[in-house]
Amino acid sequence: MIRPSDDFSARLRAAQKSLPSLPAPSVEAQALSAELSARLVAAMAAGGSLPFWRYMDMALYEPGLGYYSAGCRKLGEAGDFVTAPELSPLFSRTLARAIQPILADVECGEILEVGAGSGVMAAEILAQLAADNALPAQYRILELSAELRQRQQQTINQRVPELAARVHWCDSLEKKFSGVILANELLDALPAHRFVVRGGIARELCVAHRDDHFVWQAGERDNERVISRVQQIEQENDSRLAEGYISEILFAAEDWVKTAAKSLTSGMMLLLDYGQARSVYYHAQRNQGSLSCHYRHRMHEDPFYYPGLQDITAHVDFTAIADAALDAGLNVAGYTTQAHFLLGSGITDWLAGETDPLSLLEYSSQIKKLTLPQEMGETFKVMGLVKNCNTSLPGFMLQDMRDRL
Ligand SMILES: C[S@@+](CC[C@H](N)C(=O)[O-])C[C@H]1O[C@@H](n2cnc3c(N)ncnc32)[C@H](O)[C@@H]1O
């Protein structure tokens, strides 16, 4: 086992000390977190530590205890963070308009939403497609969390009861699917590998348990997949990552795209997430990676704070996603910022039809949050991956960033 260097430990201790004061969880929530922590420690027993991706996987998805699997509120104002569809119905309505050309072009095209959160995006998309007379025969949802699946059923029954019969939940990706696979903020919620450069070599970061605390530890054994990816990054960026450089690699997201690609027979996979092209993602100045945690609308960097009670995410390396897609037989039909995608897909058109001044004000403010660079407009990107589909989407025409991948 390689011990973290003094410098590395001091930096992490400093980061932990500088945690903003966070509201204390309820006694019941603390008990759930303690149970999950015990399970994490038990999982470490064999090797003395867990690779970080495995820690993150359990912290988010351990049945009954993980952040997404247990009953806490998660999304929305009353939860820990707000996603684009939670922020504004205009986001989902614009997506509904954006994907209609594909549904029309692909034979028997349907929608499959993966990781549907509260179900609000599904409800809004269905309502808009119904209004536009463009409903697919089925709207499928693939959701890992049983608790969220229940919430999605409630949302759809409440908001669009007349369309509920078209919604079907599946347990895995279909063998064959044609139409649109939609995923908003799915990839960033998949377990991330984390590494530190030590002695010129990328070491996978692991999690151990000492003196009643989870602590970082650089892995003892070489992880060949991590090492070879870091070598690839260094070659492509034409510079070595500095000693102590920390970042993430989302192998799980790449693997997910490859699996989903097998299922797609014709149509588009539309991925919306926060992330960058590789040259930016692994820029020398981004030397602490992008791992972040969300707890009651506070963002911080300590994934060991009350495991199971907070969200943990990392940005997406969209170059890696494009490579995975190409390997799996897909083409990259578009890559742009969320702002350009939404503006190109006509999000401001909704303002023209609005006569109520208060709604107009509210919608304008929501569009600003979705599109301004300092809000969600630039950090969030949209990538369209296609198979047997030549339909071009106006959302990708305002700004084509594929050459930056
Ligand atoms: C950050 S939330 C985003 C929710 C929603 N798309 C939104 O934008 O509000 C991530 C979602 O992905 C789900 N999820 C994570 N891994 C998944 C997987 N492998 N298959 C299906 N759903 C998954 C989570 O349970 C959760 O619903």
Side-chain angles (χ1 to χ4, degrees):
M1 190 84 51
I2 295 174
R3 303 244 166 216
S5 68
D6 285 350
D7 178 40
F8 178 51
S9 307
R11 247 188 310 151
L12 290 171
R13 272 200 307 277
Q16 277 162 359
K17 264 196 205 145
S18 66
L19 263 187
S21 57
L22 301 171
S26 67
V27 175
E28 296 79 23
Q30 289 188 36
L32 276 179
S33 179
E35 203 179 328
L36 177 60
S37 298
R39 225 175 264 189
L40 282 159
V41 173
M44 284 169 192
S49 66
L50 283 178
F52 175 71
W53 71 265
R54 181 69 188 124
Y55 171 91
M56 180 167 165
D57 193 27
M58 288 181 72
L60 297 183
Y61 302 110
E62 182 69 4
L65 295 172
Y67 179 72
Y68 283 105
S69 326
C72 59
R73 181 77 208 164
K74 304 180 257 289
L75 301 107
E77 288 298 329
D80 301 296
F81 59 94
V82 177
T83 58
E86 299 286 332
L87 179 75
S88 171
L90 301 187
F91 176 80
S92 309
R93 289 185 207 163
T94 305
L95 278 190
R97 287 262 162 93
I99 61 176
Q100 283 181 32
I102 301 171
L103 293 178
D105 284 0
V106 167
E107 212 183 316
C108 303
E110 295 181 347
I111 299 174
L112 167 65
E113 186 183 347
V114 186
S118 70
V120 71
M121 184 165 115
E124 287 294 340
I125 288 181
L126 279 162
Q128 190 56 49
L129 292 175
D132 294 341
N133 209 10
L135 277 172
Q138 296 202 55
Y139 189 110
R140 294 172 191 272
I141 295 182
L142 173 58
E143 172 55 62
L144 202 63
S145 154
E147 194 271 329
L148 282 176
R149 193 190 266 227
Q150 247 181 20
R151 184 121 61 94
Q152 290 154 14
Q153 281 159 350
Q154 280 167 6
T155 305
I156 284 159
N157 287 334
Q158 278 165 9
R159 293 197 179 211
V160 282
E162 69 287 3
L163 302 173
R166 286 182 195 255
V167 187
H168 297 271
W169 279 263
C170 38
D171 296 320
S172 57
L173 285 159
E174 311 276 310
K175 279 214 173 79
K176 285 182 175 177
F177 177 84
S178 55
V180 182
I181 300 180
L182 269 179
N184 187 59
E185 287 207 45
L186 167 76
L187 303 182
D188 73 87
L190 299 179
H193 282 65
R194 202 163 200 229
F195 68 88
V196 59
V197 176
R198 182 73 54 70
I201 290 187
R203 294 280 180 202
E204 181 171 19
L205 276 169
C206 297
V207 181
H209 195 250
R210 297 255 157 71
D211 305 326
D212 227 15
H213 287 97
F214 290 110
V215 292
W216 290 106
Q217 195 163 63
E220 188 178 46
R221 264 174 265 120
D222 288 347
N223 179 328
E224 291 303 335
R225 198 176 179 192
V226 169
I227 291 176
S228 94
R229 173 58 57 83
V230 171
Q231 284 169 347
Q232 183 188 353
I233 293 162
E234 291 182 330
Q235 272 165 15
E236 287 177 14
N237 289 358
D238 202 18
S239 71
R240 299 294 305 269
L241 296 179
E243 189 67 8
Y245 190 96
I246 293 175
S247 192
E248 292 79 34
I249 307 174
L250 275 67
F251 288 130
E254 297 168 35
D255 295 345
W256 183 86
V257 166
K258 285 186 179 172
T259 310
K262 280 192 200 139
S263 149
L264 188 68
T265 50
S266 56
M268 179 181 282
M269 207 187 292
L270 197 61
L271 306 172
L272 304 98
D273 230 305
Y274 51 125
Q276 298 78 20
R278 181 168 293 157
S279 56
V280 179
Y281 195 100
Y282 297 105
H283 191 276
Q285 283 168 4
R286 291 170 55 98
N287 59 5
Q288 292 302 297
S290 63
L291 195 74
S292 64
C293 307
H294 298 260
Y295 177 72
R296 310 248 189 107
H297 300 280
R298 271 94 162 166
M299 195 172 100
H300 66 90
E301 290 169 3
D302 182 4
F304 307 144
Y305 180 79
Y306 287 112
L309 302 190
Q310 62 170 357
D311 191 25
I312 309 174
T313 73
H315 285 203
V316 176
D317 164 6
F318 274 102
T319 303
I321 298 301
D323 286 347
L326 292 175
D327 274 0
L330 303 180
N331 283 322
V332 183
Y335 172 63
T336 193
T337 66
Q338 175 171 292
H340 285 93
F341 187 82
L342 292 177
L343 292 168
S345 304
I347 194 167
T348 51
D349 296 351
W350 301 105
L351 300 178
E354 190 51 68
T355 48
D356 173 39
L358 279 183
S359 303
L360 198 56
L361 202 62
E362 208 172 309
Y363 285 160
S364 310
S365 144
Q366 292 171 359
I367 291 177
K368 277 189 190 167
K369 286 195 180 129
L370 291 169
T371 58
L372 282 179
Q374 66 273 30
E375 300 271 358
M376 300 176 82
E378 290 231 322
T379 320
F380 281 78
K381 307 291 190 307
V382 185
M383 179 171 266
L385 304 169
V386 287
K387 192 191 269 180
N388 299 324
C389 172
N390 296 320
T391 315
S392 40
L393 298 190
F396 289 124
M397 289 175 190
L398 265 189
Q399 190 195 38
D400 183 354
M401 297 190 353
R402 282 177 295 179
D403 59 341
R404 301 189 200 171
L405 287 168

